[in-house]
Amino acid sequence: MPTFREVAVAAYCPRKLYYRRRACEEELGPPPRVRRIRELADRYPALLADDAALARAPVEPTPTQYRSRLGATKARLDAWAALCDPVDRDVLVDGEEARGRIHKLLPGPSLSLVFAGDPPDNGVWHPQTVRLVAAARALADERDAPVERVYAEYPAHGAIRRVDVDRRRRGAYREALHTARTIDGPPARTRQRTKCQPCEFTDRCGVRTTSLLSRLAPGGEG
């Protein structure tokens, strides 16, 4: 059974998932920097109230900008209190189609996943949306109750985005789930080369990124 993360990787780049599985990557714990950022999602009230705590926190904007963004998020979200004091944290969920951990279990039932990276200007990145829907479907299976609304938190930026589990997003999830289940050989290389530059499997994949081409070109580096 695929994990939530595998379904998200399939949505991002099926070829990356293929090489990830060949490398037998384990679901290891996050690195220290990611843990520090995720911990911010448990400290929102303190970050709003305590100047010293905010000054020490690994946030991306200035403290003033961060507090303004987080304050606007608090005013906008009906689920603010539940996100600050969830029913449970770091919960393993086994659904009929996928499994994985959710960072916050909310009443409803609902859930939140916490991401250490940067949010898009609006909404949630597509692979993260797929991961959220995978988690929502699994939680619905386990609780025998519909999960219609979930949340993506970007605590380093003071941003929380609501995601409705609608028909379009369920369709994207089903497509990624099918990909994750059926990969048995290297899929075609992506044409979106910007995905390749940060990928840890670029050398094995054989994709020539712009940075590599510039090094090989006459007058390039190297």
Side-chain angles (χ1 to χ4, degrees), residues 80-201:
W80 173 261
L83 289 163
C84 292
D85 186 20
V87 175
D88 204 352
R89 290 182 171 88
D90 195 26
V91 180
L92 179 63
V93 180
D94 277 303
E96 296 176 3
E97 300 170 331
R99 61 180 174 83
R101 290 189 176 277
I102 59 175
H103 297 132
K104 295 180 184 179
L105 175 64
L106 308 177
S110 183
L111 64 92
S112 174
L113 296 182
V114 181
F115 300 104
D118 301 338
D121 291 337
N122 296 289
V124 176
W125 299 113
H126 175 66
Q128 294 172 349
T129 298
V130 168
R131 186 169 179 170
L132 283 160
V133 175
R137 293 293 296 267
L139 182 61
D141 291 341
E142 197 171 85
R143 299 301 171 99
D144 194 25
V147 178
E148 299 175 347
R149 182 176 297 170
V150 294
Y151 298 87
E153 298 183 55
Y154 302 90
H157 295 264
I160 303 175
R161 307 279 168 81
R162 189 186 81 184
V163 176
D164 293 327
V165 185
D166 58 20
R167 184 175 182 178
R168 177 178 58 85
R169 293 186 176 103
R170 288 195 298 268
Y173 157 72
R174 299 296 305 179
E175 182 178 348
L177 176 66
H178 175 75
T179 298
R181 283 173 166 173
T182 58
I183 288 176
D184 60 1
R189 295 185 178 98
T190 179
R191 294 182 179 180
Q192 298 181 33
R193 292 295 190 255
T194 54
K195 294 182 178 181
C196 303
Q197 293 176 7
C199 179
E200 65 270 33
F201 301 112

Side-chain angles (χ1 to χ4, degrees), residues 12-16 187-203 205-214:
Y12 181 78
C13 177
R15 196 172 176 93
K16 178 174 182 175
R189 295 185 178 98
T190 179
R191 294 182 179 180
Q192 298 181 33
R193 292 295 190 255
T194 54
K195 294 182 178 181
C196 303
Q197 293 176 7
C199 179
E200 65 270 33
F201 301 112
T202 298
D203 292 342
C205 181
V207 172
R208 301 174 72 188
T209 65
T210 301
S211 58
L212 175 60
L213 291 173
S214 66

